[in-house]
Amino acid sequence: TELGSANDHSAILARALGVPAVTGVGPFLGQVEDGQTLALDGSRGCVWLAPTPEQLQELEQKGEARAKERAAVKQTAQRPAATRDGRRILVAANINGPSDVAHALDLGAEGVGLFRTEYLFLDRVSPPTEEEQVDTYRLVARQLKGKPLIVRTLDVGGDKPLPYFRSEHEANPFLGRRGLRYSLDRPALFKLQLRAILRAAAEHPIKLMFPMVSTFDELVLVDALIDEACAELQGEGLPFDDDIARGIMVETPAAVLAADHLVRLVDFFSIGTNDLSQYMMAADRSNAAVANLVTPYQPAVLRAIHQVVEAAKSKGIPVSLCGEMAGDPLAAPLLIGLGIGELSMSAPAIPLVKARVREV
Ligand code: PEP
Ligand code: MG
């Protein structure tokens, strides 16, 4: 693509589908003619217009080597991932819907660490009903056969507007009404989703997770809405989980710096490095011009991760990481060293990351 960066949502979709991609190349599509050969190397972020035979051969060899490596690690994908000194790391998948689950399990997913439910709400003319949502969450959970499932509530706004609700124009949508802010502004829509998740959790090991949290007060409001939803379900005689585990995505600098307070209201943290990187570095994750700044490998972001782990330790709650960083095999040793116990990633990355964990 001419626009975008490696961690915006179109790139994440491509990665989940195993489609090689290079993003944010700048204006070039106008130079491409019909029938022209293009070559690309997603791992280096390079595109060749009309590559020479030598370039093509080199890239094809690289592609084959990569395919071989993937086939080899797939052999061990179903085995657990533990470091050599026996530290068990849970390796889970990020999914967008029920149709992603079989593929994730085939690649060795030990659960779903991030179900991006907003995809159920996009691409349609009205929001899904409670029954539709309950069916979808159950469908995912049934396929997982008892493996853990973390359902993230609606994360719209930013680069994912909801088509059927008119929203005010925002000059900076990533700094606007996004994630949990959006849900709290539409309590009826939000409560419906909470009810659906609570109902599905009656029979399955489901946890609740909230995106884009920045204050303690937001969590107090969330707790009140969960209590309301539970009281309603009770009144209606519908089975639900009255003690569901709740966690937050840590993806704003505010949540990092207040993690030692927020920890009082949650059962787990999951670090969203895609957003955390953009907000820590003050660089829009969908803007190609600043893409080089939006990386979790900056010391500022690594220190943020460390700080969140320390806050979690103070209460003894688990910390996972579900940004794209989790799927980078190079990052695994670093994240394990920092104290992360669970990595959730796009499914194609699972076998390689598991193999890497076993070498540490
Ligand atoms: C993140 O921000 O790291 C994350 C996992 O959430 P999303 O990519 O959906 O914003
Ligand atoms: Mg995010």
Side-chain angles (χ1 to χ4, degrees):
T1 61
E2 292 186 341
L3 300 173
S5 72
N7 286 331
D8 68 20
H9 288 99
S10 51
I12 291 173
L13 285 174
R15 202 170 287 125
L17 293 167
V19 176
V22 174
T23 55
V25 176
F28 82 107
L29 290 171
Q31 302 165 45
V32 184
E33 283 164 21
D34 274 352
Q36 187 172 3
T37 300
L38 275 186
L40 65 89
D41 180 349
S43 62
R44 278 195 289 163
C46 297
V47 180
W48 290 262
L49 272 179
T52 64
E54 294 76 38
Q55 284 170 334
L56 262 187
Q57 196 190 4
E58 189 198 319
L59 287 166
E60 274 163 6
Q61 276 169 1
K62 195 171 168 189
E64 278 162 25
R66 202 178 152 88
K68 256 194 207 147
E69 185 189 26
R70 286 192 175 266
V73 291
K74 174 129 193 270
Q75 304 285 318
T76 59
Q78 298 302 328
R79 299 217 314 258
T83 60
R84 291 210 208 161
D85 60 341
R87 193 143 145 240
R88 186 77 172 76
I89 304 297
L90 193 99
V91 180
N94 295 348
I95 64 160
N96 298 334
S99 61
D100 293 338
V101 180
H103 184 226
L105 289 173
D106 182 49
L107 290 169
E110 298 174 292
V112 165
L114 168 62
F115 178 2
R116 288 184 166 102
T117 59
E118 53 275 13
Y119 288 96
L120 311 177
F121 291 73
L122 302 171
D123 210 12
R124 48 188 293 157
V125 294
S126 59
T129 64
E130 180 172 324
E131 293 310 318
E132 267 178 278
Q133 290 189 58
V134 179
D135 287 349
T136 307
Y137 305 142
R138 283 185 182 144
L139 189 55
V140 168
R142 271 203 299 273
Q143 293 180 80
L144 287 170
K145 297 198 174 77
K147 292 188 168 76
L149 165 61
I150 299 179
V151 180
R152 179 177 78 181
T153 59
L154 192 61
D155 189 13
V156 288
D159 62 348
K160 290 180 287 199
L162 266 194
Y164 35 82
F165 290 131
R166 204 181 61 81
S167 32
E168 300 292 321
H169 168 76
E170 293 180 303
N172 294 298
F174 273 117
L175 299 179
R177 219 170 48 141
R178 223 199 130 192
L180 184 59
R181 300 168 184 181
Y182 190 101
S183 292
L184 286 172
D185 274 353
R186 293 190 181 273
L189 180 81
F190 189 27
K191 199 161 65 179
L192 201 82
Q193 183 173 35
L194 293 174
R195 285 172 54 107
I197 298 169
L198 289 163
R199 286 176 60 190
E203 312 112 51
H204 302 284
I206 293 177
K207 296 179 188 173
L208 249 178
M209 180 161 76
F210 305 101
M212 184 80 180
V213 172
S214 36
T215 73
F216 192 89
D217 293 353
E218 286 166 347
L219 296 181
V220 173
L221 291 173
V222 166
D223 277 351
L225 266 180
I226 295 176
D227 288 347
E228 253 182 55
C230 288
E232 287 175 10
L233 293 169
Q234 179 100 46
E236 295 160 34
L238 290 165
F240 66 97
D241 181 355
D242 63 358
D243 191 25
I244 195 163
R246 35 196 104 164
I248 58 168
M249 302 274 303
V250 180
E251 48 188 355
T252 64
V256 172
L257 292 169
D260 57 337
H261 292 290
L262 301 178
V263 78
R264 288 163 34 207
L265 291 182
V266 299
D267 303 301
F268 65 93
F269 285 142
S270 187
I271 304 175
T273 43
N274 307 336
D275 278 315
L276 187 57
S277 305
Q278 77 162 341
Y279 294 128
M280 292 296 300
M281 302 306 297
D284 180 349
R285 71 193 259 194
S286 52
N287 180 347
V290 292
N292 62 334
L293 284 173
V294 188
T295 160
Y297 299 103
Q298 282 289 336
V301 184
L302 296 174
R303 285 183 178 156
I305 294 172
H306 184 228
Q307 194 165 331
V308 175
V309 172
E310 291 302 308
K313 265 196 216 156
S314 71
K315 192 185 161 197
I317 63 166
V319 191
S320 61
L321 191 142
C322 64
E324 293 300 286
M325 182 190 205
D328 181 351
L330 281 176
L334 179 60
L335 295 175
I336 295 168
L338 283 167
I340 303 286
E342 177 176 337
L343 300 168
S344 192
M345 63 201 68
S346 74
I350 291 172
L352 211 54
V353 170
K354 277 184 152 181
R356 186 71 191 94
V357 171
R358 293 186 202 108
E359 289 166 0
V360 176

